[in-house]
Amino acid sequence: MERMKRSEHHEHPKLRWYRLDNAAKLYPAIESERVTTFFRLAVTLREKVEPVVLQKALLRVIDRFPYYRVRLRQGLFWFYIEHNPKNPVVEPDEQYPCMRLQLCKNRQYLFRVRYFERRIAVEFSHTLTDGTGGMTFLKTLVAEYLRLQGISVPAEEGILALGEFYPEEAEDAYNRFYKPTSPHPDKESEAYHLPGKLDVKGVYHITTGIIPLPKILEVAKAKSLTLTEFLVAVYINALQMAQEAECVKPSRVRPIRLSVPINLRKIYPSRTMRNFSLYVRPGIDPRLGHYSFEEIARAVHHHMRAEVNDKSVSREIRRNVGGERHAFVRFAPLVIKKLVLFIVYHSLGEKLHSGSLSNLGPVRFPQSMAEQITRVEFIPGPNPVNKSGCAVVSYEDSLYISFGRIIRKAELERLFFTALIQMGIPVRVESNQ
Amino acid sequence: MAYCVKCGVELASGVNLCPLCETKVVLPQDVTGTSAERLYPQTQQMEREPYRPGLFGLIIYTIILAIPLVLTLMLDLKISGGMTWSFYPVSSLVLFWILTVGPLLSRKKRFAKTITMVTGSIALFLYLLNGHLGEVTWAWYPVSALALFWVYVGLPGFLPVGRNLAMFAICIDGVLTAAYLRFMESYTHSGSWFVPLALPLVVLATTLLLVVVFLVVKRKLRDYAIAAAAFVAAGLMSVGADLLVDLYMRENAGIGWSLITLVVTSLIAALFALVHKRVELQVLLKKKFHI
């Protein structure tokens, strides 16, 4: 609680500033053209988007989120974010989402609001928040947009009411739930990565598969898996096939691990709108032999069950927050921190897993709003080591699985979606090519 | 057959207290009147001496140090009939023992007691060292310096804690510093510089310090204002020192070099005062320097 006070939410906007939360401290230091730290959330409406109205809605909504109405600044020891007096503006969409943000060209904001035809999208940097926070912002923004169109939308189902504010929304929940007596997590070895030369900088291929939700739930349930576990198993299976197709020597075969973010707000009580998620890493070791789908499913199921709880997660928190609080780290000047973090992240950061799957879960809107929304999307940010990542969200009766890749070939996506089809699940595929 | 009213467990017959929660057992009557079967006999082992860890190690250590001490002493007594060269090993060993064992002995007021033991034993050692060779001459310098050091660092540890502790300690420090300087003046036969120079300097420093600490204790100065006041006091001290030294050396007072220090300290004090007044500057400092 004492830490919360120090970067307290000041009454005066001009004096308002926030320390970065534990996860966010990493991103400004590692940000580059290949690692943009952005992710994207979008809704598609029934009518074409009117930019003027959207801009008006954004201006009304932005002050409800003072921890997003910020600009990034450098202190002697750490980055921090402070109140941004300029107004944010909406912009038209581009072919390749989640690309690098030049702060000076974006009025210093760390998020973008984009529109195209009937779609409204927000792209957030992980410096600000994670998928849950971003989705809450998007919902509130679209609700206000619809209200300006004359549709009355109540502040329910995750939409924040304008005018209220809770200081707990700005807290660094990792520091709050840090337990210095927890042990560190186990060390892991380097994982398998997809081969392939990276495409030109600035190009990001998105492949979205749209799947009827009841059908896929039925298939998952038949195998006694949750939807996330099922998708993780299919993904790992696809990676296994990719590694086998590479015909690597037996000594070069590496474990396959997926990084699956867990929303810690479901484990610890917190209303924070900043980052509050950590990763579990289910996987298989093909050095032990070829895994059938059932074996993969079993490994994933038991790993998730064993690791998704407050005790296992506290170990990760211990390592991350403990690292932040170490005297050598705290007192190292920011210049040194930036250099060290950049080097360490770009050489080791993503090596421990082969890909990522982020499942935001079912998205619900109030009835009056749901009538206007046809589709929801969640697109992960680019990753040069894993080359490809996956983000999942479901709305009404459809599941939207989006892959983002920076290599040219869509081999992994092909293996993934054809595996689903072979299990009897129909898939409609779209891409931004 | 009885049950514990708190835990709900069944208890053996004749038991008075629940072995789990020590709640008294409520028996309407002693069950069947027979005495309960004892599970263990009544006899107990002989009581053992309480084990004090560390004492054994301490004794061994003392013996190890005592051996060369006794040896050298006895040799010296035998050969020279008195303590001559053995003074050095004996006194060094005793000093070494005090310095290593002293800090371990007490728990309460450990710091103050350690400082006292260390300064006292070193002062005594040097005094005896000097005295061993003849008349006590140079030893007064380190002894008096150590005594003053003890007054600054060790004495406050023994004074009763309170809001006025700081001010009281500063007063004592000032008086005893003046006494030390007076003693130095007479012992070194270096003329009379105490009254014209040393005394006013000590009085000025003590007064300035007292004023600042008084304001802090009375909560008239907070946060950055304390730093500003400290720099102002430093500036005034330098001016006072300049005037006094000039008076003593040349019989005419004039502000020379202290102008520079005055300007610099005033600037720094003004900066701190500005930060103290302006909240935006305090927030800016926190933003830039937070760790």
Side-chain angles (χ1 to χ4, degrees):
Chain A
M1 292 310 276
E2 195 214 298
R3 271 187 165 243
M4 240 175 74
K5 264 199 211 162
R6 275 193 264 156
S7 65
E8 68 220 45
H9 172 83
H10 237 281
E11 279 305 312
H12 271 289
K14 268 174 110 176
L15 297 175
R16 219 169 265 167
W17 71 283
Y18 307 94
R19 293 161 186 253
L20 293 184
D21 63 77
N22 176 251
K25 284 184 160 87
L26 173 70
Y27 293 100
I30 62 169
E31 189 262 347
S32 72
E33 274 228 63
R34 290 285 188 203
V35 180
T36 64
T37 74
F38 272 85
F39 61 91
R40 177 182 170 105
L41 294 155
V43 302
T44 308
L45 305 173
R46 289 199 190 283
E47 309 281 333
K48 194 161 173 203
V49 172
E50 289 175 46
V52 175
V53 183
L54 184 60
Q55 174 67 38
K56 212 165 155 192
L58 178 58
L59 289 177
R60 281 194 177 197
V61 152
I62 190 63
D63 283 311
R64 174 65 182 84
F65 300 89
Y67 29 79
Y68 298 157
R69 188 188 183 142
V70 290
R71 55 186 177 192
L72 187 68
R73 281 276 192 265
Q74 293 190 39
L76 191 61
F77 300 105
W78 292 111
F79 287 100
Y80 62 93
I81 46 180
E82 64 177 17
H83 175 77
N84 190 339
K86 295 193 185 155
N87 284 329
V89 290
V90 303
E91 58 186 46
D93 211 346
E94 286 180 8
Q95 183 181 5
Y96 299 119
C98 301
M99 285 296 100
R100 191 185 201 185
L101 177 66
Q102 283 177 298
L103 290 174
C104 53
K105 295 204 175 134
N106 197 44
R107 297 187 165 204
Q108 307 289 327
Y109 277 94
L110 289 158
F111 69 91
R112 297 189 267 241
V113 177
R114 292 175 150 179
Y115 61 90
F116 177 70
E117 300 286 325
R118 294 180 291 131
R119 184 176 61 220
I120 299 175
V122 292
E123 293 181 3
F124 269 87
S125 169
H126 266 298
T127 311
L128 287 184
T129 185
D130 54 15
T132 312
M135 184 49 97
T136 310
F137 179 81
L138 178 63
K139 281 182 175 179
T140 313
L141 174 65
V142 176
E144 187 60 23
Y145 172 81
L146 291 174
R147 284 190 201 117
L148 287 173
Q149 301 272 31
I151 300 162
S152 124
V153 181
E156 299 166 353
E157 301 281 14
I159 296 172
L160 297 185
L162 306 181
E164 289 176 348
F165 175 72
Y166 301 96
E168 305 94 71
E169 289 174 6
E171 73 172 356
D172 176 357
Y174 297 106
N175 263 289
R176 185 170 149 204
F177 294 107
Y178 167 63
K179 261 199 307 212
T181 50
S182 288
H184 279 251
D186 300 325
K187 289 225 189 305
E188 284 167 338
S189 57
E190 195 177 312
Y192 167 71
H193 299 112
L194 286 173
K197 192 160 164 255
L198 298 185
D199 210 340
V200 168
K201 284 184 187 176
V203 167
Y204 191 41
H205 304 282
I206 310 290
T207 314
T208 306
I210 304 159
I211 294 161
L213 188 62
K215 182 70 187 156
I216 194 170
L217 281 177
E218 183 193 316
V219 173
K221 200 165 168 202
K223 298 186 191 291
S224 313
L225 298 172
T226 65
L227 181 61
T228 307
E229 289 167 2
F230 177 69
L231 292 172
V232 167
V234 175
Y235 195 152
I236 291 179
N237 197 26
L239 283 166
Q240 182 182 228
M241 287 194 267
Q243 185 168 213
E244 282 165 4
E246 242 188 285
C247 299
V248 291
K249 287 194 288 200
S251 58
R252 299 273 296 274
V253 170
R254 288 204 292 272
I256 296 172
R257 250 176 254 121
L258 273 197
S259 170
V260 180
I262 301 293
N263 182 8
L264 295 181
R265 296 169 192 82
K266 299 206 169 113
I267 298 177
Y268 294 103
S270 174
R271 307 169 76 137
T272 183
M273 291 287 289
R274 323 269 297 282
N275 283 299
F276 198 34
S277 42
L278 276 174
Y279 303 85
V280 293
R281 279 175 276 272
I284 56 168
D285 197 345
R287 295 176 293 193
L288 301 170
H290 175 88
Y291 280 69
S292 68
F293 185 77
E294 276 65 40
E295 288 172 328
I296 298 176
R298 194 166 44 214
V300 169
H301 175 70
H302 288 293
H303 184 99
M304 300 289 275
R305 286 233 139 166
E307 296 294 312
V308 182
N309 55 63
D310 63 320
K311 291 184 172 57
S312 290
V313 160
S314 77
R315 295 167 69 180
E316 295 271 338
I317 297 182
R318 160 80 178 90
R319 182 189 57 193
N320 296 344
V321 178
E324 172 195 322
R325 290 197 187 182
H326 195 279
F328 283 164
V329 173
R330 285 169 81 177
F331 288 99
L334 185 61
V335 198
I336 296 181
K337 282 209 258 275
K338 279 200 288 192
L339 198 63
V340 170
L341 276 173
F342 189 88
I343 294 171
V344 168
Y345 184 84
H346 285 276
S347 59
L348 300 175
E350 300 287 330
K351 287 238 162 115
L352 299 179
H353 49 265
S354 321
S356 66
L357 188 140
S358 183
N359 186 0
L360 207 54
V363 174
R364 277 183 279 271
F365 299 102
Q367 180 63 27
S368 52
M369 196 167 158
E371 287 163 6
Q372 300 299 319
I373 294 176
T374 58
R375 174 171 163 155
V376 175
E377 271 153 28
F378 179 24
I379 291 164
N383 187 310
V385 177
N386 295 335
K387 320 247 178 17
S388 165
C390 175
V392 180
V393 70
S394 69
Y395 172 59
E396 296 202 327
D397 279 337
S398 298
L399 184 71
Y400 301 90
I401 304 178
S402 301
F403 280 87
R405 71 175 190 283
I406 49 176
I407 48 178
R408 208 160 293 173
K409 288 241 156 92
E411 189 56 24
L412 178 73
E413 286 89 320
R414 187 184 70 80
L415 290 166
F416 184 92
F417 289 122
T418 48
L420 288 179
I421 289 178
Q422 279 160 18
M423 290 192 221
I425 302 166
V427 180
R428 190 175 99 236
V429 170
E430 298 173 352
S431 104
N432 69 339
Q433 296 306 109
Chain B
M1 186 156 49
Y3 286 83
C4 172
V5 292
K6 233 173 128 183
C7 309
V9 294
E10 196 185 328
L11 300 171
S13 55
V15 166
N16 289 326
L17 291 178
C18 167
L20 297 180
C21 63
E22 295 180 11
T23 309
K24 245 178 152 184
V25 172
V26 177
L27 288 172
Q29 67 195 67
D30 208 10
V31 185
T32 68
T34 56
S35 62
E37 251 178 47
R38 288 214 152 267
L39 290 170
Y40 290 95
Q42 280 282 57
T43 57
Q44 283 175 24
Q45 280 180 264
M46 296 281 285
E47 287 236 7
R48 279 197 290 189
E49 277 269 315
Y51 175 67
R52 283 230 305 267
L55 188 64
F56 187 63
L58 186 65
I59 293 174
I60 296 288
Y61 176 67
T62 311
I63 292 176
I64 290 175
L65 283 185
I67 291 174
L69 188 150
V70 168
L71 271 174
T72 51
L73 189 62
M74 282 178 45
L75 263 172
D76 198 18
L77 286 172
K78 192 83 193 230
I79 296 172
S80 327
M83 192 192 227
T84 54
W85 55 267
S86 65
F87 171 77
Y88 300 101
V90 165
S91 58
S92 307
L93 282 166
V94 171
L95 180 67
F96 183 74
W97 185 90
I98 292 175
L99 290 179
T100 46
V101 166
L104 302 172
L105 281 184
S106 61
R107 262 283 141 97
K108 278 180 161 184
K109 294 198 192 232
R110 177 180 268 183
F111 178 72
K113 285 187 186 166
T114 309
I115 293 285
T116 313
M117 287 190 91
V118 167
T119 51
S121 49
I122 295 177
L124 185 66
F125 169 71
L126 291 172
Y127 178 78
L128 290 174
L129 187 64
N130 192 200
H132 178 74
L133 296 169
E135 213 183 293
V136 177
T137 50
W138 56 264
W140 285 117
Y141 295 105
V143 166
S144 53
L146 282 166
L148 193 64
F149 173 78
W150 177 82
V151 168
Y152 288 159
V153 178
L155 178 60
F158 291 115
L159 295 175
V161 182
R163 276 236 263 150
N164 299 320
L165 169 67
M167 302 207 306
F168 191 51
I170 291 171
C171 286
I172 295 185
D173 289 348
V175 167
L176 288 174
T177 310
Y180 167 77
L181 290 169
R182 176 74 186 89
F183 172 70
M184 277 295 118
E185 186 198 45
S186 75
Y187 192 69
T188 56
H189 308 293
S190 47
S192 81
W193 45 265
F194 178 69
V195 171
L197 188 61
L199 184 62
L201 276 174
V202 171
V203 167
L204 179 63
T206 315
T207 317
L208 282 172
L209 202 56
L210 265 178
V211 166
V212 174
V213 171
F214 176 78
L215 290 173
V216 172
V217 165
K218 291 289 173 205
R219 303 208 204 289
K220 295 276 185 241
L221 287 176
R222 289 170 197 267
D223 314 318
Y224 294 98
I226 301 178
F231 275 94
V232 166
L236 289 173
M237 182 69 209
S238 69
V239 169
D242 194 10
L243 287 170
L244 286 166
V245 168
D246 271 352
L247 263 173
Y248 175 71
M249 304 267 281
R250 279 180 274 160
E251 306 279 324
N252 69 327
I255 299 183
W257 55 267
S258 61
L259 194 61
I260 301 172
T261 51
L262 187 64
V263 167
V264 171
T265 50
S266 312
L267 269 170
I268 298 176
L271 276 171
F272 273 116
L274 186 68
V275 172
H276 179 71
K277 270 258 148 34
R278 296 242 148 273
V279 182
E280 314 93 72
L281 288 177
Q282 290 180 27
V283 172
L284 181 69
L285 282 177
K286 256 198 236 168
K287 286 198 277 203
K288 289 295 175 190
F289 292 99
H290 77 275
I291 43 168

mmCIF file of all heavy atoms in Angstrom, chain B residues 170-190:
data_model
loop_
_atom_site.group_PDB
_atom_site.id
_atom_site.type_symbol
_atom_site.label_atom_id
_atom_site.label_comp_id
_atom_site.label_asym_id
_atom_site.label_seq_id
_atom_site.Cartn_x
_atom_site.Cartn_y
_atom_site.Cartn_z
ATOM 1 N N ILE B 170 23.442 17.987 21.669
ATOM 2 C CA ILE B 170 24.223 19.035 20.999
ATOM 3 C C ILE B 170 24.831 19.983 22.034
ATOM 4 O O ILE B 170 25.996 20.389 21.919
ATOM 5 C CB ILE B 170 23.356 19.815 19.985
ATOM 6 C CG1 ILE B 170 22.998 18.902 18.803
ATOM 7 C CG2 ILE B 170 24.071 21.051 19.474
ATOM 8 C CD1 ILE B 170 21.998 19.499 17.871
ATOM 9 N N CYS B 171 24.071 20.335 23.055
ATOM 10 C CA CYS B 171 24.608 21.222 24.100
ATOM 11 C C CYS B 171 25.818 20.578 24.771
ATOM 12 O O CYS B 171 26.873 21.210 24.923
ATOM 13 C CB CYS B 171 23.539 21.493 25.162
ATOM 14 S SG CYS B 171 22.263 22.602 24.599
ATOM 15 N N ILE B 172 25.670 19.331 25.171
ATOM 16 C CA ILE B 172 26.777 18.634 25.826
ATOM 17 C C ILE B 172 27.979 18.565 24.890
ATOM 18 O O ILE B 172 29.126 18.817 25.295
ATOM 19 C CB ILE B 172 26.346 17.199 26.229
ATOM 20 C CG1 ILE B 172 25.259 17.263 27.282
ATOM 21 C CG2 ILE B 172 27.533 16.409 26.719
ATOM 22 C CD1 ILE B 172 24.862 15.919 27.825
ATOM 23 N N ASP B 173 27.699 18.230 23.606
ATOM 24 C CA ASP B 173 28.790 18.165 22.633
ATOM 25 C C ASP B 173 29.517 19.495 22.560
ATOM 26 O O ASP B 173 30.750 19.549 22.526
ATOM 27 C CB ASP B 173 28.236 17.812 21.241
ATOM 28 C CG ASP B 173 27.772 16.374 21.157
ATOM 29 O OD1 ASP B 173 28.094 15.609 22.084
ATOM 30 O OD2 ASP B 173 27.096 16.028 20.178
ATOM 31 N N GLY B 174 28.781 20.571 22.514
ATOM 32 C CA GLY B 174 29.384 21.895 22.414
ATOM 33 C C GLY B 174 30.258 22.198 23.623
ATOM 34 O O GLY B 174 31.426 22.601 23.482
ATOM 35 N N VAL B 175 29.719 21.975 24.808
ATOM 36 C CA VAL B 175 30.472 22.265 26.033
ATOM 37 C C VAL B 175 31.745 21.426 26.087
ATOM 38 O O VAL B 175 32.837 21.938 26.353
ATOM 39 C CB VAL B 175 29.590 21.984 27.272
ATOM 40 C CG1 VAL B 175 30.413 21.952 28.536
ATOM 41 C CG2 VAL B 175 28.498 23.043 27.366
ATOM 42 N N LEU B 176 31.620 20.151 25.796
ATOM 43 C CA LEU B 176 32.785 19.271 25.909
ATOM 44 C C LEU B 176 33.783 19.502 24.793
ATOM 45 O O LEU B 176 34.982 19.304 24.990
ATOM 46 C CB LEU B 176 32.333 17.814 25.981
ATOM 47 C CG LEU B 176 31.691 17.498 27.327
ATOM 48 C CD1 LEU B 176 31.117 16.099 27.356
ATOM 49 C CD2 LEU B 176 32.708 17.656 28.456
ATOM 50 N N THR B 177 33.323 19.913 23.616
ATOM 51 C CA THR B 177 34.268 20.274 22.559
ATOM 52 C C THR B 177 35.095 21.472 23.004
ATOM 53 O O THR B 177 36.320 21.515 22.810
ATOM 54 C CB THR B 177 33.532 20.605 21.253
ATOM 55 O OG1 THR B 177 32.612 19.566 20.956
ATOM 56 C CG2 THR B 177 34.495 20.786 20.094
ATOM 57 N N ALA B 178 34.413 22.429 23.621
ATOM 58 C CA ALA B 178 35.139 23.599 24.124
ATOM 59 C C ALA B 178 36.143 23.177 25.193
ATOM 60 O O ALA B 178 37.294 23.644 25.195
ATOM 61 C CB ALA B 178 34.147 24.612 24.685
ATOM 62 N N ALA B 179 35.743 22.264 26.053
ATOM 63 C CA ALA B 179 36.643 21.786 27.110
ATOM 64 C C ALA B 179 37.855 21.096 26.503
ATOM 65 O O ALA B 179 38.996 21.293 26.939
ATOM 66 C CB ALA B 179 35.886 20.831 28.037
ATOM 67 N N TYR B 180 37.613 20.298 25.481
ATOM 68 C CA TYR B 180 38.702 19.596 24.811
ATOM 69 C C TYR B 180 39.694 20.575 24.228
ATOM 70 O O TYR B 180 40.916 20.437 24.360
ATOM 71 C CB TYR B 180 38.114 18.680 23.739
ATOM 72 C CG TYR B 180 39.126 18.120 22.771
ATOM 73 C CD1 TYR B 180 39.950 17.067 23.138
ATOM 74 C CD2 TYR B 180 39.240 18.637 21.486
ATOM 75 C CE1 TYR B 180 40.874 16.542 22.242
ATOM 76 C CE2 TYR B 180 40.162 18.116 20.589
ATOM 77 C CZ TYR B 180 40.971 17.076 20.972
ATOM 78 O OH TYR B 180 41.879 16.558 20.088
ATOM 79 N N LEU B 181 39.154 21.615 23.568
ATOM 80 C CA LEU B 181 40.043 22.597 22.939
ATOM 81 C C LEU B 181 40.829 23.374 23.997
ATOM 82 O O LEU B 181 42.021 23.669 23.812
ATOM 83 C CB LEU B 181 39.228 23.541 22.050
ATOM 84 C CG LEU B 181 38.667 22.886 20.783
ATOM 85 C CD1 LEU B 181 37.654 23.792 20.096
ATOM 86 C CD2 LEU B 181 39.786 22.541 19.820
ATOM 87 N N ARG B 182 40.188 23.664 25.103
ATOM 88 C CA ARG B 182 40.884 24.344 26.198
ATOM 89 C C ARG B 182 42.019 23.491 26.731
ATOM 90 O O ARG B 182 43.126 23.973 26.973
ATOM 91 C CB ARG B 182 39.870 24.659 27.308
ATOM 92 C CG ARG B 182 40.482 25.274 28.547
ATOM 93 C CD ARG B 182 40.866 26.727 28.299
ATOM 94 N NE ARG B 182 41.572 27.261 29.448
ATOM 95 C CZ ARG B 182 42.898 27.190 29.625
ATOM 96 N NH1 ARG B 182 43.653 26.590 28.701
ATOM 97 N NH2 ARG B 182 43.465 27.698 30.702
ATOM 98 N N PHE B 183 41.720 22.191 26.867
ATOM 99 C CA PHE B 183 42.746 21.256 27.333
ATOM 100 C C PHE B 183 43.902 21.196 26.353
ATOM 101 O O PHE B 183 45.078 21.192 26.744
ATOM 102 C CB PHE B 183 42.106 19.872 27.530
ATOM 103 C CG PHE B 183 43.100 18.797 27.817
ATOM 104 C CD1 PHE B 183 43.778 18.770 29.037
ATOM 105 C CD2 PHE B 183 43.379 17.809 26.879
ATOM 106 C CE1 PHE B 183 44.710 17.776 29.300
ATOM 107 C CE2 PHE B 183 44.302 16.816 27.151
ATOM 108 C CZ PHE B 183 44.972 16.799 28.357
ATOM 109 N N MET B 184 43.602 21.200 25.046
ATOM 110 C CA MET B 184 44.637 21.163 24.023
ATOM 111 C C MET B 184 45.521 22.409 24.111
ATOM 112 O O MET B 184 46.745 22.338 23.982
ATOM 113 C CB MET B 184 44.002 21.079 22.630
ATOM 114 C CG MET B 184 43.617 19.690 22.212
ATOM 115 S SD MET B 184 45.027 18.613 22.027
ATOM 116 C CE MET B 184 44.672 17.388 23.252
ATOM 117 N N GLU B 185 44.822 23.543 24.320
ATOM 118 C CA GLU B 185 45.592 24.800 24.388
ATOM 119 C C GLU B 185 46.607 24.742 25.523
ATOM 120 O O GLU B 185 47.776 25.086 25.351
ATOM 121 C CB GLU B 185 44.633 25.974 24.599
ATOM 122 C CG GLU B 185 45.328 27.331 24.531
ATOM 123 C CD GLU B 185 44.489 28.428 25.171
ATOM 124 O OE1 GLU B 185 43.935 28.202 26.285
ATOM 125 O OE2 GLU B 185 44.386 29.494 24.577
ATOM 126 N N SER B 186 46.172 24.280 26.704
ATOM 127 C CA SER B 186 47.092 24.278 27.833
ATOM 128 C C SER B 186 48.113 23.166 27.710
ATOM 129 O O SER B 186 49.260 23.330 28.094
ATOM 130 C CB SER B 186 46.310 24.163 29.146
ATOM 131 O OG SER B 186 45.848 22.836 29.292
ATOM 132 N N TYR B 187 47.717 22.059 27.162
ATOM 133 C CA TYR B 187 48.645 20.935 27.097
ATOM 134 C C TYR B 187 49.729 21.132 26.069
ATOM 135 O O TYR B 187 50.854 20.680 26.239
ATOM 136 C CB TYR B 187 47.868 19.640 26.808
ATOM 137 C CG TYR B 187 48.691 18.405 27.018
ATOM 138 C CD1 TYR B 187 49.078 18.015 28.300
ATOM 139 C CD2 TYR B 187 49.106 17.631 25.932
ATOM 140 C CE1 TYR B 187 49.841 16.897 28.493
ATOM 141 C CE2 TYR B 187 49.861 16.504 26.131
ATOM 142 C CZ TYR B 187 50.236 16.135 27.412
ATOM 143 O OH TYR B 187 50.992 15.017 27.607
ATOM 144 N N THR B 188 49.412 21.817 24.977
ATOM 145 C CA THR B 188 50.427 22.002 23.941
ATOM 146 C C THR B 188 51.202 23.308 24.130
ATOM 147 O O THR B 188 52.128 23.590 23.375
ATOM 148 C CB THR B 188 49.779 22.047 22.537
ATOM 149 O OG1 THR B 188 48.794 23.093 22.524
ATOM 150 C CG2 THR B 188 49.116 20.737 22.188
ATOM 151 N N HIS B 189 50.825 24.070 25.112
ATOM 152 C CA HIS B 189 51.511 25.348 25.376
ATOM 153 C C HIS B 189 51.680 26.137 24.102
ATOM 154 O O HIS B 189 52.762 26.607 23.769
ATOM 155 C CB HIS B 189 52.897 25.099 25.996
ATOM 156 C CG HIS B 189 52.825 24.196 27.189
ATOM 157 N ND1 HIS B 189 52.203 24.564 28.361
ATOM 158 C CD2 HIS B 189 53.257 22.928 27.374
ATOM 159 C CE1 HIS B 189 52.276 23.564 29.219
ATOM 160 N NE2 HIS B 189 52.911 22.540 28.653
ATOM 161 N N SER B 190 50.601 26.272 23.332
ATOM 162 C CA SER B 190 50.746 26.927 22.033
ATOM 163 C C SER B 190 50.194 28.346 22.043
ATOM 164 O O SER B 190 49.771 28.867 21.043
ATOM 165 C CB SER B 190 50.027 26.091 20.966
ATOM 166 O OG SER B 190 48.746 25.735 21.431
#
